[in-house]
Amino acid sequence: MRCILEFRRVFFRDARADVPPSNKVVFVLAGQSNMAGRGGVTGARWDGVVPPDSAPSPSVLRLTADLRWEEAREPLHQGIDVGGGNRAVGVGPGMAFANAVLRSGRLDGAAVGLVPCAVGGTRMAEWGKGSELYGDMVRRARVAVETGGRIGAVLWYQGESDTVRWADANSYGRRMAMLVRDLRADLAMPHLLLIQVGLASGLGQYTEVVREAQKGLRLHNVRFVDAMGLPFQDGHLHLNTQAQVQLGHMLAQSYLDYGTSNKH
């Protein structure tokens, strides 16, 4: 009888291992390389250094490329931001964000579910409704809440690739506003919170044009966190590990401030 009871305990524990908690708050991480994470990446290799604020936690989950939940750990975008199969990903803001939100105690015991969707080198035009990137992001967001929970916010860091051509930079504000409206419609969340990160760098000469478009976006429940001034990994484009942790904290504070200001 003792053996049977032990078998039952092991069987049911293992059967539950891949079942995500229904009580979770989901955050979609989207954009390009600085959201995907290049902290600690030199050339085509990540140094493997995970700062304490980005350490894994049983209460922080990640939706994998094949739509399974697992305990989240750096690099969050492994298998998502593949870039032909040989692109190195490192530390991004997602884990530091999740751990900071958990430490706040404001989730009332809920787990954090992270849904990585960012892909390096992508322009805003590639994220419009009808594109593969947009379709994947919406599909992954929907799957994330199929087993329960709610979407807390979309964290968006993108735009470096839109600083190269005037046409892209000049259209950035219009395309970003359309993206927010389309996401809210397709996720049936008219008040969906989106926190966008203001560019710290760009690939071209129109960085300030894109930054002004980001700062000028006048839609409800769209917040702005500025990465300008954070230190770079490579001297000019990608945030280093320290900067990514700091950005994660900034995003968490923005989310928590939003929750405070929207309490009834």
Side-chain angles (χ1 to χ4, degrees):
M1 178 64 72
R2 185 179 304 162
C3 291
I4 294 174
L5 290 175
E6 182 61 28
F7 170 79
R8 284 168 61 86
R9 280 196 293 269
V10 172
F11 175 83
F12 285 114
R13 183 178 68 230
D14 290 347
R16 289 194 303 266
D18 292 329
V19 178
S22 58
N23 184 23
K24 61 183 181 295
V25 183
V26 169
F27 297 94
V28 177
L29 314 178
Q32 55 182 115
S33 54
N34 271 317
M35 178 56 79
R38 297 293 187 268
V41 172
T42 302
R45 297 190 65 181
W46 175 47
D47 62 15
V49 176
V50 177
D53 284 355
S54 301
S57 162
S59 297
V60 181
L61 307 175
R62 175 186 97 120
L63 192 68
T64 65
D66 58 353
L67 306 179
R68 293 180 300 104
W69 287 107
E70 65 179 12
E71 184 173 308
R73 60 185 65 247
E74 297 288 5
L76 273 179
H77 278 76
Q78 188 75 44
I80 304 293
D81 183 16
V82 292
N86 59 355
R87 175 178 290 162
V89 289
V91 175
M95 287 300 299
F97 165 84
N99 286 324
V101 171
L102 277 177
R103 282 195 303 269
S104 75
R106 301 264 288 277
L107 296 187
D108 298 324
V112 171
L114 299 176
V115 181
C117 299
V119 177
T122 52
R123 295 160 43 240
M124 177 59 81
E126 297 174 81
W127 285 92
K129 182 169 181 172
S131 69
E132 182 178 0
L133 290 173
Y134 180 87
D136 284 347
M137 175 170 56
V138 170
R139 177 173 58 96
R140 289 173 60 76
R142 287 172 175 166
V143 168
V145 291
E146 279 181 353
T147 53
R150 62 181 177 85
I151 297 176
V154 174
L155 309 183
W156 179 265
Y157 191 171
Q158 188 277 335
E160 293 92 342
S161 293
D162 290 271
T163 67
V164 177
R165 296 178 8 179
W166 167 252
D168 288 333
N170 193 44
S171 301
Y172 194 89
R174 175 182 59 80
R175 287 173 171 159
M176 187 70 208
M178 187 59 67
L179 177 69
V180 174
R181 295 187 182 105
D182 287 338
L183 274 176
R184 288 173 172 171
D186 289 337
L187 295 176
M189 296 183 64
H191 305 292
L192 172 67
L193 172 65
L194 186 139
I195 306 176
Q196 62 166 341
V197 180
L199 294 185
S201 58
L203 288 166
Q205 61 181 317
Y206 300 115
T207 301
E208 280 306 316
V209 175
V210 173
R211 279 179 51 81
E212 287 305 312
Q214 292 176 320
K215 290 187 283 187
L217 196 60
R218 298 288 182 258
L219 291 174
H220 77 286
N221 291 356
V222 173
R223 298 177 72 92
F224 177 83
V225 167
D226 201 347
M228 183 61 76
L230 294 178
F232 296 114
Q233 175 75 29
D234 49 15
H236 70 284
L237 184 63
H238 293 125
L239 301 183
N240 66 18
T241 297
Q242 170 197 346
Q244 289 286 15
V245 171
Q246 187 174 343
L247 178 59
H249 293 167
M250 293 162 63
L251 288 164
Q253 192 59 57
S254 180
Y255 173 73
L256 295 169
D257 289 347
Y258 167 82
T260 300
S261 65
N262 280 270
K263 281 186 175 179
H264 298 292

